[in-house]
Amino acid sequence: MDGGAPILDDGFPAERLFSQGYSYTYDDVIFLPHYIDFPTDAVTLSTKLSRRVALATPCVSSPMDTVTESSMAAAMASLGAIGIIHSNTPAPNQADLVRLAKSHKIPFNHELIFKSPSDTILSGYDFSDSPCIFVTESGTEKSKLLGTVKKSDWLESELDKDARVSDHMIKSSVTLPSSYTFQDVAGYLAKNELDVVPLVKNFGEDGDRIVNCVTSEDVERIQGFPKLGLPSLGPDGKFLVGASIGTRESDKERLEHLVKAGVNVVVLDSSQGNSIYQIEMIKYAKNMYPELDLIGGNVVTQYQAQNLIQAGVDGLRVGMGSGSICTTQEVCAVGRGQAAAVYKVASIAAQSGVPVIADGGISNSGHIVKALTLGASTVMMGSFLAGSNEAPGTYEYQGDRRVKKYRGMGSLEAMTKGSDARYLGDKAKLKIAQGVVGAVADKGSVLKLVPYTMQAVKQGFQDLGASSVQSAHDLLRSGVLRLEVRTGAAQVEGGIHGLVSYEKKSF
């Protein structure tokens, strides 16, 4: 391309497009393609989550109780991303989830079930999603391991309801340190022809405790996934893990628990972050733990963002009412289209060097491309990751579809667990829902979903002529990248249409 040729006036620069008084969301706008002079593999998506926390993959799992607990956090960190563990649980429990996610280098966590030799197994549901039950002397995680009961072995004699755990147990005391890498554990299983091996960590006075397990099926499954890139590791060599807190007085104690557990970044979890409660919590946290990065939000306007930046946040979470299970805009008549919110907030945050997280509204790789190009440094996802193997909960069937529960933190169901503080409603006599409870389809493992999605994002960046997240931001702010608004007919045309039937596979 002739570097001296003038840029033709085609489309609109972002500054002009987002100054027309319309609240645009991702599907409303489309980028015009630019110039390609590099291969897809040359695109790098490394970025900043906050001022001092860097990621190789610009993805963040949302702090929702049906999205992020220890298994999701470990998986996201193994992919170069990060998970934010929800606060809809007592503070010691949340701190334990942080410790568990950071306690090993395996990219997933199995739910661990413990029983004593004299216990009975009433049904296959006792195994939950675990491949086996661990048998210990007292039936707790803190006592001596005696052996395991594999679900497949128990199912063969399921009719014997009176049988004790000891009748099905395979005696074994073999364990491996949780510090072993996945490759080390896989090699050990193969060499010793074992089906499962528990991983243990020493907790000082509490002694060794089983924190995870790996099965031969895990090895076969994960070896078929795309190769893992650079993981997200802290200075101590452990997985990067984030956690959320609220803005109440009790959250100061929660914050202390999380810091002691080794949390790497904390997200202040409020649906409307521009409040005296959040600003006071920001000042308290930065005073008590100045080396801990703190992400504020949620915000959707430059005024909101400026207030939190001045209070001292290291990152901003952008979005209000854009999530698939959120009804805030419908119930409260406040919010903003997500594309407009990300662009406006990122424009003011960039002046202070504060990274922006685009939270909500992500349902495909194109939305991620748009969010990152409009100024976000990372994208936070809830429904996109819900339903995966690593998300909390048990699979159910709706007809012939395998699904997992997914609920908004503003749903009445979640509020009964404590999330009403997020909506400043924990003191209110009447509870008003700002979210719903639903179900999402089984998405398999995020260890496969995220790498394929990021490859699609790289292809989008290539079409834009942007070889990095920073390059995309520069092209947008310079006016080189242009956008247009899509009519309803254009949106239909841009999707699948005109077919009698079709099968859609993303990868």
Side-chain angles (χ1 to χ4, degrees), residues 54 96 166 229 265 307 309 338 351 370 388 420 437 455 462:
D96 280 343
S166 56
V265 63
N307 277 351
I309 291 171
Q338 189 66 344
Q351 298 174 18
K370 290 177 182 179
S388 64
D420 48 353
V437 178
Q455 183 63 25
Q462 183 188 41

Short mmCIF file of all heavy atoms in Angstrom, two decimals, residues 54 96 166 229 265 307 309 338 351 370 388 420 437 455 462:
data_model
loop_
_atom_site.label_atom_id
_atom_site.label_comp_id
_atom_site.label_asym_id
_atom_site.label_seq_id
_atom_site.Cartn_x
_atom_site.Cartn_y
_atom_site.Cartn_z
N ALA A 54 -0.35 -8.27 34.24
CA ALA A 54 -0.33 -8.51 32.80
C ALA A 54 -0.86 -9.91 32.49
O ALA A 54 -0.71 -10.84 33.29
CB ALA A 54 1.09 -8.36 32.26
N ASP A 96 -10.50 -19.95 50.76
CA ASP A 96 -10.11 -21.33 50.48
C ASP A 96 -10.14 -21.61 48.98
O ASP A 96 -9.29 -22.35 48.45
CB ASP A 96 -11.04 -22.30 51.21
CG ASP A 96 -10.67 -22.48 52.68
OD1 ASP A 96 -9.54 -22.10 53.05
OD2 ASP A 96 -11.51 -22.97 53.46
N SER A 166 -16.34 -49.59 52.07
CA SER A 166 -15.19 -50.49 52.12
C SER A 166 -15.35 -51.69 51.19
O SER A 166 -14.35 -52.28 50.75
CB SER A 166 -14.96 -50.97 53.56
OG SER A 166 -16.13 -51.58 54.07
N GLY A 229 -0.69 -22.15 26.02
CA GLY A 229 0.36 -21.16 25.86
C GLY A 229 0.98 -20.80 27.20
O GLY A 229 1.03 -21.61 28.12
N VAL A 265 -5.34 -9.93 42.55
CA VAL A 265 -6.07 -8.72 42.19
C VAL A 265 -7.47 -8.83 42.78
O VAL A 265 -8.02 -9.93 42.87
CB VAL A 265 -6.12 -8.53 40.65
CG1 VAL A 265 -6.87 -9.67 39.98
CG2 VAL A 265 -6.75 -7.20 40.26
N ASN A 307 -14.33 9.61 38.61
CA ASN A 307 -14.42 9.58 40.08
C ASN A 307 -13.63 8.41 40.67
O ASN A 307 -12.92 8.56 41.66
CB ASN A 307 -15.88 9.48 40.52
CG ASN A 307 -16.57 10.82 40.54
OD1 ASN A 307 -15.93 11.86 40.39
ND2 ASN A 307 -17.87 10.82 40.73
N ILE A 309 -11.18 6.70 39.15
CA ILE A 309 -9.75 6.87 38.85
C ILE A 309 -9.10 7.80 39.87
O ILE A 309 -8.02 7.54 40.39
CB ILE A 309 -9.56 7.40 37.42
CG1 ILE A 309 -9.95 6.32 36.39
CG2 ILE A 309 -8.11 7.83 37.19
CD1 ILE A 309 -10.01 6.83 34.96
N GLN A 338 -23.38 -1.37 25.30
CA GLN A 338 -22.03 -1.75 25.71
C GLN A 338 -20.94 -1.20 24.81
O GLN A 338 -19.85 -0.86 25.29
CB GLN A 338 -21.93 -3.28 25.80
CG GLN A 338 -20.65 -3.81 26.41
CD GLN A 338 -20.46 -3.48 27.89
OE1 GLN A 338 -21.13 -2.61 28.45
NE2 GLN A 338 -19.54 -4.17 28.53
N GLN A 351 -6.20 8.14 29.40
CA GLN A 351 -5.45 9.34 29.76
C GLN A 351 -4.71 9.17 31.08
O GLN A 351 -3.72 9.86 31.36
CB GLN A 351 -6.40 10.54 29.84
CG GLN A 351 -7.08 10.88 28.53
CD GLN A 351 -8.12 11.99 28.68
OE1 GLN A 351 -8.12 12.74 29.66
NE2 GLN A 351 -9.02 12.10 27.70
N LYS A 370 -14.61 -6.43 18.81
CA LYS A 370 -15.15 -5.08 18.91
C LYS A 370 -14.80 -4.45 20.26
O LYS A 370 -14.39 -3.29 20.34
CB LYS A 370 -16.66 -5.11 18.71
CG LYS A 370 -17.07 -5.43 17.27
CD LYS A 370 -18.59 -5.52 17.12
CE LYS A 370 -18.96 -5.90 15.69
NZ LYS A 370 -20.43 -6.03 15.50
N SER A 388 -19.64 -24.60 30.87
CA SER A 388 -18.42 -25.36 30.57
C SER A 388 -18.15 -26.37 31.68
O SER A 388 -18.74 -26.31 32.76
CB SER A 388 -17.23 -24.40 30.43
OG SER A 388 -16.98 -23.75 31.67
N ASP A 420 -27.30 -9.39 47.15
CA ASP A 420 -28.09 -8.17 47.11
C ASP A 420 -27.25 -6.95 47.53
O ASP A 420 -27.57 -5.82 47.15
CB ASP A 420 -29.34 -8.28 47.99
CG ASP A 420 -29.06 -8.81 49.39
OD1 ASP A 420 -27.91 -9.21 49.64
OD2 ASP A 420 -29.99 -8.82 50.21
N VAL A 437 -32.76 -16.37 36.50
CA VAL A 437 -32.12 -17.68 36.56
C VAL A 437 -32.44 -18.41 35.27
O VAL A 437 -33.60 -18.45 34.84
CB VAL A 437 -32.64 -18.50 37.77
CG1 VAL A 437 -31.99 -19.88 37.79
CG2 VAL A 437 -32.37 -17.76 39.07
N GLN A 455 -8.16 -17.66 18.56
CA GLN A 455 -7.69 -17.75 17.18
C GLN A 455 -8.61 -16.95 16.26
O GLN A 455 -8.15 -16.27 15.33
CB GLN A 455 -7.62 -19.22 16.73
CG GLN A 455 -7.06 -19.42 15.33
CD GLN A 455 -5.61 -18.95 15.19
OE1 GLN A 455 -4.87 -18.91 16.18
NE2 GLN A 455 -5.21 -18.60 13.98
N GLN A 462 -6.41 -9.30 12.33
CA GLN A 462 -5.69 -9.27 11.06
C GLN A 462 -6.49 -8.49 10.01
O GLN A 462 -5.93 -7.66 9.28
CB GLN A 462 -5.43 -10.68 10.56
CG GLN A 462 -4.62 -10.73 9.27
CD GLN A 462 -4.55 -12.13 8.69
OE1 GLN A 462 -5.54 -12.85 8.69
NE2 GLN A 462 -3.39 -12.52 8.19
#
